[in-house]
Structures are given as structure tokens and as C-alpha cells.
Amino acid sequence: MKTYDIVIIGGGPAGLAAAVSARKQGEESIVILERDKELGGILNQCIHNGFGLHTFQEELTGPEYAARFMKQVEELGIEYRLNTMVVEISSDKVVTAMSRRDGMYQIRAKALILAMGCRERARGALNIPGYRPAGIYSAGTAQRLVNKEGFMPGRKVVILGSGDIGLIMARRMTLEGAEVKVVAELMPYSGGLKRNIVQCLDDYDIPLKLSHTVIDIKGKERVEGIVLAEVDETNRPIPGTEEFYECDTLLLSVGLIPENELSAQMGIALSNVTSGPVVDESLETNLDGVFACGNVLHVHDLVDFVSEEAATAGKNAACYVKNERMKSGISIPIKAENGVRYTVPSRIDPERMEEKQIVRFRVGKVYKNCRICAFLDGEQIISRKRPVVAPGEMEQVILKKEWFEQPPECTDGSGHELIIRIEE
């Protein structure tokens, strides 16, 4: 069985950035395992611009952004295997993979980086009444068909869900000559970036109906139309608000789910909120030497943040292999309260954290004229005023190492309490 210092599962933006970062730390024994026929992940079908403003200080398309990292992987001589499906990972970091060329085989990892990304929630999870006609697609599938396969899913389109992919596909379908009748959103707020609402809906006069959902799909062989209804505070349809929209296509943009079946099988603790691994300041999971980054950890709004996070995972995995920055045994939990749904990381070791530690999170609803606050042992250490925060856009706070110079009374971190919350 061949042993690598670092094995990376997934060759999308997270896996590529993690590999580059680990190699720049001097790590030579690295392999990326990717199930697709090419590196780059979902970026290969994201032909719109808006990528790279933080990472490269210029606006790129998805394929251009991926190509920058793919070029680095090639130049640094990092090994990667395409068309390779990982089917199992043991708790002691033995990876079982298979491909048409090599059959089924196993490799051992000293450190493992999980970068499998996420998948779309399908119609089966929504319980929408109606038949199962042709013309129902997830927004990501439609994006691949239009951008890579040259196939138009339909000409009269309704989109359910206002996630970023759904918003972008509203514009894309319009540019290809389709008529997008409406974008409906179950929640009273959009799940996408504000800029995408403006550039993809407002600029093309596509209506966005908040607190609405599809309650029926008409048509047996092909979608003939859908029935839309307003919902109340408990997300139940309100009688008398039904509207019929004639269409031949329904696109679903109703959420993304981190691909953590492998993680769960190997015993990694998963968050009930994000469905991603619970990690510390080094992005290390509860299993020693297993790190996670990108959308497999929590769903990001910008790929630039994915790359930044993955670079941290790659660096820390390299440090782990070299036995640098050993755990001190102190673990301070970060509590999410009053509107903050979760934090990444969810615990920190003050001895191992960088001089400045980024903590990312999402809120549970729209807040206006509020403050993002952090409290250490009841003392406020951060208070930042924000005109508006929304679930569709990730927020962050930056912790300073100097704030934790006084050691906790207990080695499990119980001597400190760190809370991040929203105050109105």
C-alpha cells in the first residue's frame, strides 16, 4: 500500500488551493483524487464573471479562476488522479478508491484533507405534489446543460429558490432566449448575494416573489405549468393566494448540501446546522490529522473565501505531517447566539491559533442597523456596526491571539467562554 503525506479528496477550488498551499510549505508527497474527468470542480460550468476579486484583484470567469490554480498545480508538479472515485475512508486514514484504469486500490495518508464540495437539494426533498414530468431540473444541472453541453432545458421557465445558482440561471436562460416568468422564494428574504439579485433579476425585469412556493406541478409527460402560492409564517400555503404560471421548465435552487457521506462513515463529528464537519482553528476535525475546507465544511458565497480557507487547511496539514504546532490540550468552544446560526471554526486552541484568526458565520434572518459582537468571559472584545446582515451573505469576525494570553483555568477550555452574537 502506497503512503502519501497528504491525500486530498476533491479537485475543485478547495482541493486545488489546499494542494498548492501544502506544497509551498515544502510538502512533496501530495496526491489529489478527483472523480470527474478534469480538475476545477463546479467552476468549469460557471462561465459568468465575478470570481477572483479578493484572490487575484481582478474579475474572472469560473473556468479562468480554476485555470489559475490548475496551472500552479501543474507547475509545482503535484500529483492528481482523475476519474477516481473514493468509496471509503477508514478512521486511520486508509483511502479506498477506484478508477477504470487502476481498478480498486488503497492508499494511506499521514494527513487527509476533505474537499468534496456540495450537491444540490433535489425535488424529492421538497414534497411538491404533482406528477414527475420532464422539464424539472436542479439549477446546477441546467447550468451544466446550457454552458457545457449546449442544450436548452426549455423556453418558458419558473425558478423555485433564490440561491445564487438560481439567480444566475435566471439571467443565463434569459440571455439564451428563454422567458423566465418568475423566481419564487419560500423565505421572506433571498438566499443569494445582493449583487446577484440586482444583476440577474432587476436588470432583466424578472420578478422575485418572496414568501412564495410551488404547491402543484401540472403536466404528465412534460411540465405544462405550476401553481404558486404565498406562505404564512410557518411556511404553509395561504388559501386563496394561488397563481398559475404556464411554463415548460421548473428549475430548483433550493439549497446546497455538503457531501459528507464519506466523513460520516469514518466517524467525523458533523454539525447539525451546516451538515459539515466540526473543526478547530486549524480546520482539523475531531479525527487526528483529518482536515476539511470549502463547501464540504460549510456552503460559501464566494469562491475566494473557499480558496483562502483551503490554503489554511493545506498549510496546517503540512504542519501536522512535520509535527509542528502540536495541540496544547486547550480547546475553547465558540458559542453562536442571538441570530448567529453557527461559526467556523467552532472551537479554538489559543496556543495554535494565528496572530489573527478569522471566524466565519451566517445569520438566521435579515437584521438592519445591528451590531456584530463578540464576548470573551463576558467582556465585549468586538462590536462592529452593520447597516444590514442577511443569511445569503457570509459574515466574519477576526480574533486576536493577544486576547487569549491569559491561560484558561481548565485544560478543556472551560476557563474561557467565547460568544458571537447579533445585537439590535
Side-chain angles (χ1 to χ4, degrees):
M1 186 187 304
K2 188 169 183 178
T3 298
Y4 288 87
D5 285 351
I6 299 176
V7 175
I8 300 170
I9 313 300
L16 295 173
V20 169
S21 175
R23 176 55 58 88
K24 289 181 177 178
Q25 292 296 311
E27 203 51 63
E28 295 294 329
S29 177
I30 304 170
V31 65
I32 302 171
L33 304 180
E34 169 56 46
R35 66 185 178 187
D36 206 349
K37 62 182 180 181
E38 57 190 348
L39 296 174
I42 196 68
L43 291 181
N44 292 320
Q45 68 185 52
C46 300
I47 64 173
H48 54 280
N49 58 7
F51 301 91
L53 290 170
H54 295 267
T55 307
F56 299 110
Q57 287 74 54
E58 59 180 304
E59 199 170 28
L60 305 171
T61 64
E64 288 173 332
Y65 185 95
R68 297 282 180 97
F69 279 97
M70 289 158 65
K71 183 180 179 182
Q72 292 182 61
V73 166
E74 295 285 356
E75 290 176 345
L76 292 170
I78 298 172
E79 181 183 348
Y80 59 88
R81 302 181 187 182
L82 303 176
N83 299 302
T84 299
M85 175 68 75
V86 175
V87 295
E88 187 179 22
I89 309 172
S90 68
S91 57
D92 58 349
K93 301 190 285 290
V94 174
V95 178
T96 302
M98 61 189 302
S99 68
R100 179 176 293 180
R101 188 189 70 180
D102 301 320
M104 184 173 285
Y105 60 92
Q106 291 184 319
I107 56 177
R108 186 180 298 279
K110 293 181 180 178
L112 192 67
I113 299 178
L114 305 176
M116 293 90 75
C118 58
R119 67 176 183 271
E120 294 179 278
R121 185 175 281 109
R123 180 195 172 181
L126 305 181
N127 295 321
I128 302 173
Y131 292 100
R132 299 179 64 184
I136 304 174
Y137 301 87
S138 68
T141 299
Q143 184 183 56
R144 182 180 181 91
L145 290 172
V146 174
N147 292 349
K148 296 196 74 177
E149 312 296 338
F151 174 81
M152 274 294 284
R155 291 293 172 181
K156 295 180 180 179
V157 183
V158 170
I159 299 176
L160 176 59
S162 61
D164 287 315
I165 303 175
L167 298 174
I168 287 164
M169 281 310 295
R171 176 179 63 185
R172 188 76 183 99
M173 296 294 283
T174 301
L175 292 173
E176 288 296 326
E179 179 188 2
V180 179
K181 300 291 188 76
V182 65
V183 175
E185 169 58 55
L186 177 70
M187 304 306 290
Y189 50 80
S190 171
L193 293 169
K194 179 67 176 177
R195 76 182 191 196
N196 283 334
I197 297 172
V198 173
Q199 295 174 3
C200 301
L201 299 187
D202 296 350
D203 289 357
Y204 295 90
D205 295 322
I206 299 171
L208 171 62
K209 290 206 165 190
L210 301 175
S211 298
H212 280 72
T213 193
V214 174
I215 62 169
D216 196 12
I217 298 172
K218 303 293 186 181
K220 270 193 174 183
E221 300 300 321
R222 174 83 193 193
V223 174
E224 297 173 1
I226 59 96
V227 178
L228 210 61
E230 190 175 354
V231 298
D232 59 20
E233 294 82 1
T234 61
N235 294 333
R236 293 179 180 272
I238 301 172
T241 63
E242 297 88 354
E243 295 177 273
F244 176 77
Y245 286 84
E246 181 189 352
C247 62
D248 60 14
T249 304
L250 175 64
L251 301 188
L252 303 176
S253 177
V254 289
L256 300 169
I257 304 170
E259 289 269 20
N260 274 301
E261 285 69 27
L262 288 171
S263 310
Q265 287 174 15
M266 63 187 298
I268 288 176
L270 302 179
S271 165
N272 292 329
V273 179
T274 64
S275 298
V278 176
V279 296
D280 62 14
E281 76 297 326
S282 299
L283 301 181
E284 189 174 12
T285 68
N286 61 301
L287 294 186
D288 200 39
V290 180
F291 301 79
C293 58
N295 282 353
V296 80
L297 180 56
H298 61 134
V299 177
H300 292 64
D301 47 5
L302 297 178
V303 73
D304 300 79
F305 295 153
V306 168
S307 300
E308 182 181 320
E309 187 178 88
T312 299
K315 174 184 175 183
N316 289 324
C319 290
Y320 172 84
V321 172
K322 298 174 185 175
N323 291 319
E324 299 174 355
R325 297 175 69 222
M326 301 293 289
K327 291 182 180 179
S328 68
I330 299 171
S331 181
I332 301 173
I334 303 176
K335 296 181 179 179
E337 291 186 357
N338 196 36
V340 178
R341 296 184 63 234
Y342 69 88
T343 65
V344 173
S346 58
R347 61 182 186 273
I348 58 171
D349 180 340
E351 296 294 321
R352 295 205 306 170
M353 68 183 285
E354 302 286 349
E355 292 300 321
K356 292 185 178 180
Q357 174 73 49
I358 296 176
V359 178
R360 293 195 167 97
F361 62 90
R362 287 187 190 268
V363 296
K365 66 177 186 178
V366 177
Y367 292 90
K368 295 183 178 180
N369 297 318
C370 62
R371 288 185 177 274
I372 297 173
C373 300
F375 296 85
L376 180 61
D377 300 336
E379 180 181 346
Q380 189 174 80
I381 54 175
I382 294 174
S383 178
R384 192 170 83 247
K385 191 173 181 180
R386 297 281 276 124
V388 61
V389 294
E393 305 203 22
M394 206 154 53
E395 299 290 338
Q396 68 177 40
V397 295
I398 298 178
L399 305 176
K400 296 182 180 179
K401 189 181 180 76
E402 62 191 56
W403 295 340
F404 300 89
E405 287 179 349
Q406 294 299 320
E409 297 171 6
C410 305
T411 57
D412 63 357
S414 58
H416 274 325
E417 183 178 59
L418 181 59
I419 297 171
I420 298 177
R421 62 197 298 181
I422 301 295
E423 294 195 343
E424 296 182 87

